[in-house]
Amino acid sequence: MKIFSGSSNKSLAEKVARQLNTGLSPLEIFIFPDGERRVRVIDRVVNEDTVVVQSTSPNPDTAYMELFFIVDALKRSGAKSATAVIPYLGYQRQDHVFRDGEAVSLDVIIETLESVGMDKLITFDLHSIKIPELFKIPIVHLSALPIFAEKIREIARGPVRSFPPASARSSLSSSNELRAVGNPSTSATPRLSNDTILVSPDMGGIRRIKILSEMLSNMPFISIVKDRDLVTGNIESNKIDTDPSQWKKTVKKAIIVDDMISTGRTIDAAVDLLIEQGIEENVVFATHPVFSNDYKNILQNSKVSKIFVTDSIDVPKDKKFEKLEVLSIADEIAKNL
Ligand code: R5P
């Protein structure tokens, strides 16, 4: 088996190759002055099973074009099979017609991937469980939830490092960064216990939160009902689906779980709502760090305590911020190759 990487997430591809005790096979990707790309397979791949790792964010159009060319080049060079590892499947939120006249963009992407010769897809935490049905080829739909569950257990076992309650936060630095009390130089890891509840920031994530709850010995969960304007993307209203008398009394900490963070507005609005309800600490787990527009400002200034994402999308140094921790999915990918 030979492993290739597109240019969008080479560090993840390298980790996957390392897990499999091999290296990446060389690929020439040349960018012409007008922006067009030329892809050339250098290794001999005749009758080989090949794997291409390519995330499709940021710049989904460029990433997809590059992937189409890599798969085409591999197949033309005689590869027996081409498995695409697309940890974050770009365009997945456009999986059906929301308003008359719209394209089903994800369908176009899938048809193109299949027609250039992709034989199998490995991907993570799709926005909708119906997406695999759109493919004619086999698709392995993995999840970061086991990694999140492990981290949540680890946090629960970890050393006691208290977080300032919401009421004390106004005395923190103007950038609103949260730091551990008594250890101002370290970014804090909150301690989670049975006063903690799992939260889906919208009803679309309810299945995800139920699965995570089962992994964590039926940790209680609630969901926020989020209404978004389909044209502007603005969040119009946010409320909790469960009567507060059923969960509010003892709960002080929330673990919000989402499939992706793009602008950060969903998380920011969820945290504000939970704080209004008396929750003192909010920790976020989201698989895909899509991170667009003003996300850094929004999340850094939000009252969220800590955000865990995965490397399904590369997060270079300049996209990181203090509250963020990146967990790797390389192991999961390697196990499934
Ligand atoms: C929406 O249904 C998704 O699950 C995410 O909540 C959403 O895409 C996040 O976007 P943003 O960070 O821009 O609010």
Side-chain angles (χ1 to χ4, degrees):
M1 182 174 66
K2 295 201 169 182
I3 304 175
F4 296 83
S5 175
S7 46
S8 72
N9 200 346
K10 215 164 175 180
S11 60
L12 176 64
E14 277 163 356
K15 278 186 207 155
V16 172
R18 228 175 291 135
Q19 292 289 335
L20 296 167
N21 294 319
T22 181
L24 292 178
S25 294
L27 201 59
E28 187 182 289
I29 301 176
F30 178 78
I31 305 172
F32 288 95
D34 64 355
E36 286 185 4
R37 270 152 208 254
R38 183 186 63 208
V39 165
R40 192 171 146 247
V41 171
I42 298 164
D43 259 7
R44 194 181 146 76
V45 291
V46 177
N47 287 328
E48 291 273 2
D49 288 315
T50 61
V51 174
V52 190
V53 180
Q54 176 80 320
S55 293
T56 53
S57 175
N59 308 318
D61 299 346
T62 307
Y64 269 123
M65 288 305 277
E66 199 179 275
L67 179 61
F68 299 153
F69 300 151
I70 297 172
V71 174
D72 182 71
L74 288 169
K75 284 311 204 49
R76 282 177 196 276
S77 305
K80 184 162 84 184
S81 70
T83 294
V85 178
I86 313 180
Y88 169 67
L89 188 75
Y91 283 100
Q92 60 178 286
R93 284 172 290 179
Q94 295 183 50
D95 61 343
H96 65 272
V97 174
F98 290 87
R99 293 173 304 154
D100 285 352
E102 286 180 349
V104 183
S105 311
L106 181 62
D107 219 23
V108 176
I109 298 286
I110 292 172
E111 277 181 27
T112 312
L113 280 168
E114 289 178 345
S115 71
V116 292
M118 178 179 72
D119 296 290
K120 184 168 126 186
L121 169 70
I122 297 181
T123 190
F124 277 79
D125 287 325
L126 292 167
H127 186 63
S128 147
I129 51 163
K130 289 199 164 291
I131 291 175
E133 291 167 19
L134 301 174
F135 286 83
K136 293 186 198 81
I137 56 158
I139 151 165
V140 180
H141 183 192
L142 301 175
S143 175
L145 290 180
I147 299 171
F148 293 167
E150 185 49 40
K151 191 74 193 177
I152 292 167
R153 281 186 219 109
E154 188 187 311
I155 289 170
R157 281 195 304 266
V160 181
R161 288 156 133 201
S162 59
F163 247 52
S167 54
R169 283 186 185 141
S170 52
S171 63
L172 291 166
S173 64
S174 55
S175 65
N176 211 9
E177 286 161 9
L178 294 177
R179 288 170 190 279
V181 169
N183 187 7
S185 62
T186 328
S187 161
T189 300
R191 179 175 173 254
L192 305 166
S193 60
N194 55 5
D195 56 0
T196 305
I197 199 160
L198 295 171
V199 181
S200 171
D202 55 40
M203 294 303 283
I206 199 78
R207 191 178 157 272
R208 191 175 309 121
I209 214 83
K210 278 184 186 162
I211 295 172
L212 186 60
S213 160
E214 276 167 27
M215 288 177 180
L216 293 165
S217 321
N218 296 321
M219 186 181 260
F221 63 88
I222 53 173
S223 179
I224 291 174
V225 184
K226 175 180 83 175
D227 260 336
R228 205 164 204 164
D229 184 308
L230 283 179
V231 180
T232 62
N234 290 337
I235 296 168
E236 306 251 280
S237 75
N238 238 13
K239 59 178 195 262
I240 290 172
D241 71 335
T242 314
D243 178 359
S245 63
Q246 287 180 32
W247 59 273
K248 231 172 121 173
K249 263 189 216 144
T250 54
V251 173
K252 290 281 168 269
K253 298 167 191 167
I255 298 174
I256 304 168
V257 185
D258 209 350
D259 56 344
M260 66 184 87
I261 301 177
S262 181
T263 62
R265 285 184 297 179
T266 298
I267 293 304
D268 188 39
V271 168
D272 281 350
L273 179 68
L274 291 163
I275 285 180
E276 255 172 47
Q277 298 293 324
I279 300 282
E280 294 182 353
E281 292 176 14
N282 289 276
V283 180
V284 169
F285 285 83
T287 307
H288 307 296
V290 177
F291 289 168
S292 37
N293 294 352
D294 205 20
Y295 78 92
K296 208 192 260 187
N297 254 328
I298 292 178
L299 295 174
Q300 194 67 293
N301 292 319
S302 151
K303 294 185 183 94
V304 64
S305 306
K306 178 109 185 167
I307 299 174
F308 294 91
V309 294
T310 78
D311 54 0
S312 71
I313 295 169
D314 188 34
V315 188
K317 228 174 175 180
D318 62 320
K319 287 197 139 187
K320 291 192 170 140
F321 51 97
E322 200 180 342
K323 292 173 190 175
L324 185 73
E325 187 170 329
V326 182
L327 309 170
S328 187
I329 54 170
D331 255 23
E332 287 299 306
I333 297 173
K335 275 190 245 158
N336 283 279
L337 286 175

